[in-house]
Amino acid sequence: MKKKVLIITYYWPPSGGPGVQRVLNFAKYLPKYGWEPVILTVRKGEYPAKDPSLEKEIPSHLKVYKTKTFEPFSIFKLVSGKKKDDAIGTYILSEKSPNLVTRLSKWIRLNLFIPDARVGWKRYAVREGKKIIRSENIDLILTSSPPHSLQLIGQALARKTGKPWIADYRDPWKEVVYNQNLKRSARAERKDRRLEHDALNAADGIVSISKDILQLLESKREKPRNGCLVFNGYDNRPAPLPRNDCPVITYTGVLSVTRIPTPLLPALRELREENIRFRLKFIGNTCPELRQLVEENGLTADTEYISYLPHDESIRHINSSDALLLVIDNVPNNKGILTGKLFEYIGAQRSILAIGNTEGEARHIIDECQCGEMVDYNDTEGAKRILRKLHEAWQRQTPAYSFSNSSRYSREATTGELAHFMNHVLSRHTK
């Protein structure tokens, strides 16, 4: 008889993005390891992006419960002049705005909605969660964040029901990239820090996507216990190499100001002067600063911008590319940043040109899988060296790298690591 886990997630199809794909694949593969998942999510969420194509990946037998929620974003859209159906981007708080009303609404969001704007879901989720735990005979609770207000839901349900609770962190709480350098009041900072501390110390188990983030979270616990590292993983399969008229380098996902591929653009400009040409393709929302740098380097004619695409279409563009661009956010505490796209790139077996902290975990995984190379944020010469290698491989119609040691990063394998940890937490709880 399978054990049952209640997975609480804000992001669920038709939401798009890496967060929903992580939880969706947990739900897909956990039954292979003796666990039956039950999902609790919102009925109508405010998502940075929507991807209805992911709905067809939901297992047919999976039970999904949905509740209403309270979202402050409807008020924000009203005062900022946005349309009702406009998506609110992940980096909205860090975007500069000359509008006084918009700046005021952001201040209210930062200082009154703590830890984040999804905290209004808590009372609905806790009420429904108690019913589900009782009616479905749930054995364990799993919350996946951000938004980190979901950890408050898990904490409350564990306290009220006595069930063991595992908190999955795709990003750190206080140090999450898009909240860095944002000014909160001293009172709001204290409250946010206290909520993080209490949630971390109440959890029966901590899961995260990288060693660095896991160590950071464990360092904040009063009685550190072994957490569990569960990588995002890949679920896609490689396709034959394309035959493009020149090498195509593709980036997928949000490209904010902290992700601008600074050394790549002048490297491409200098190589073009040697008649070595590439085409760039950016799929997803891009910041104005990127477009300006592309224009300044004379690359506009060789650059294509495509707005957010459904996941299956994004994979199609990845497979039709010769190489893939990965940029780790140029912010403090970035050694543990492991974006979901890194693993999808690995699964596609396309050469990876990465820009980031060369001492970070992404660099180590790229080296381990022999799937590409990483250069520092200012290493234009290093970028040129990799580009030459990619161009030569394109001319030979052969892979530029050998690709190996990647099977441990399949989503089926990473879900197996999670299931093993769930068994451990449950058995420890019942002793």
Side-chain angles (χ1 to χ4, degrees):
M1 183 177 178
K2 284 187 171 67
K3 301 174 285 290
K4 284 190 173 183
V5 55
L6 175 62
I7 300 178
I8 302 173
T9 178
Y10 185 91
Y11 297 114
W12 187 256
S15 170
V20 65
Q21 291 163 31
R22 178 174 174 85
V23 178
L24 183 57
N25 281 279
F26 285 165
K28 184 188 301 184
Y29 292 116
L30 275 172
K32 294 190 175 186
Y33 298 99
W35 283 91
E36 179 183 340
V38 177
I39 304 297
L40 173 59
T41 189
V42 292
R43 185 173 296 119
K44 290 183 179 180
E46 284 283 353
Y47 307 128
K50 290 187 177 181
D51 186 353
S53 73
L54 291 175
E55 292 180 322
K56 64 178 180 287
E57 296 186 28
I58 300 173
S60 58
H61 59 276
L62 183 67
K63 291 185 178 180
V64 180
Y65 293 84
K66 298 183 178 182
T67 78
K68 64 180 180 180
T69 183
F70 169 73
E71 296 276 358
F73 283 121
S74 57
I75 302 173
F76 175 77
K77 288 179 180 180
L78 181 66
V79 301
S80 62
K82 291 181 177 292
K83 297 179 181 178
K84 181 179 179 181
D85 295 330
D86 284 348
I88 302 294
T90 303
Y91 289 79
I92 185 67
L93 290 175
S94 58
E95 293 177 359
K96 295 181 180 180
S97 173
N99 187 303
L100 177 62
V101 176
T102 300
R103 294 203 306 271
L104 177 61
S105 66
K106 289 181 180 180
W107 185 94
I108 292 171
R109 151 65 186 89
L110 277 171
N111 293 283
L112 300 185
F113 293 88
I114 303 170
D116 50 58
R118 319 300 188 186
V119 71
W121 187 39
K122 180 183 174 183
R123 61 174 174 149
Y124 302 103
V126 170
R127 183 169 58 201
E128 185 68 13
K130 287 193 296 182
K131 295 177 183 177
I132 297 169
I133 289 169
R134 183 172 59 252
S135 64
E136 295 285 354
N137 195 23
I138 296 295
D139 296 287
L140 182 142
I141 302 163
L142 174 68
T143 48
S144 184
S145 71
H148 294 309
S149 51
L150 269 69
Q151 308 303 358
L152 307 183
I153 297 169
Q155 181 181 357
L157 285 174
R159 184 179 67 249
K160 291 174 181 293
T161 65
K163 298 296 181 181
W165 162 47
I166 293 176
D168 174 41
Y169 288 84
R170 303 188 306 276
D171 288 300
W173 186 314
K174 289 289 295 174
E175 298 81 4
V176 65
V177 169
Y178 47 79
N179 276 355
Q180 292 191 23
N181 301 320
L182 295 179
K183 293 183 179 180
R184 272 178 160 162
S185 68
R187 177 182 173 276
E189 280 289 338
R190 287 194 300 271
K191 181 176 181 180
D192 195 35
R193 195 176 299 112
R194 176 178 57 79
L195 290 174
E196 179 193 37
H197 172 273
D198 292 349
L200 282 168
N201 284 282
D204 295 284
I206 299 290
V207 170
S208 193
I209 63 166
S210 75
K211 294 177 184 177
D212 192 75
I213 295 176
L214 189 60
Q215 289 171 359
L216 172 66
L217 297 171
E218 286 288 348
S219 72
K220 298 184 179 186
R221 304 184 80 185
E222 293 173 359
K223 295 180 180 178
R225 288 163 279 184
N226 289 331
C228 183
L229 176 62
V230 178
F231 294 109
N232 274 317
Y234 63 85
D235 202 40
N236 50 323
R237 297 289 182 268
L241 284 172
R243 291 187 175 275
N244 296 312
D245 58 359
C246 75
V248 175
I249 302 175
T250 295
Y251 176 94
T252 63
V254 174
L255 207 153
S256 62
V257 68
T258 59
R259 294 181 184 174
I260 292 176
T262 309
L264 175 65
L265 304 178
L268 287 170
R269 183 195 69 228
E270 292 173 18
L271 287 176
R272 191 174 182 185
E273 293 170 358
E274 302 174 22
N275 293 321
I276 299 176
R277 180 183 166 220
F278 288 80
R279 282 194 288 123
L280 283 176
K281 189 183 293 186
F282 294 103
I283 299 175
N285 297 325
T286 56
C287 63
E289 291 84 351
L290 169 72
R291 295 179 183 239
Q292 181 179 344
L293 285 173
V294 167
E295 184 176 350
E296 289 175 359
N297 282 278
L299 300 171
T300 303
D302 288 332
T303 302
E304 182 179 5
Y305 301 96
I306 303 173
S307 59
Y308 181 86
L309 292 176
H311 185 244
D312 53 356
E313 290 186 39
S314 178
I315 293 295
R316 180 171 58 80
H317 280 276
I318 285 174
N319 288 337
S320 65
S321 302
D322 299 277
L324 303 169
L325 173 64
L326 175 74
V327 187
I328 302 299
D329 290 87
N330 191 2
V331 295
N333 306 306
N334 64 355
K335 287 185 179 181
I337 294 178
L338 290 176
T339 61
K341 69 170 64 65
L342 167 61
F343 299 98
E344 286 197 336
Y345 287 3
I346 291 172
Q349 292 193 9
R350 291 294 183 269
S351 300
I352 299 174
L353 194 168
I355 299 166
N357 187 330
T358 55
E359 297 180 358
E361 291 183 56
R363 157 74 183 275
H364 296 312
I365 290 176
I366 289 170
D367 288 350
E368 176 192 354
C369 295
Q370 300 177 55
C371 57
E373 294 180 69
M374 176 176 282
V375 297
D376 191 70
Y377 299 102
N378 299 310
D379 189 1
T380 300
E381 289 303 314
K384 283 174 65 176
R385 176 182 55 79
I386 296 172
L387 289 168
R388 289 184 189 279
K389 186 173 183 176
L390 295 175
H391 196 271
E392 291 169 2
W394 167 78
Q395 289 178 316
R396 299 192 307 266
Q397 282 292 297
T398 60
Y401 300 92
S402 59
F403 299 97
S404 61
N405 307 317
S406 64
S407 60
R408 63 176 292 217
Y409 298 114
S410 73
R411 282 198 170 116
E412 183 172 351
T414 58
T415 303
E417 295 291 332
L418 174 64
H420 179 76
F421 185 63
M422 289 163 58
N423 290 334
H424 169 69
V425 170
L426 182 60
S427 63
R428 187 175 63 191
H429 186 81
T430 54
K431 285 182 180 178

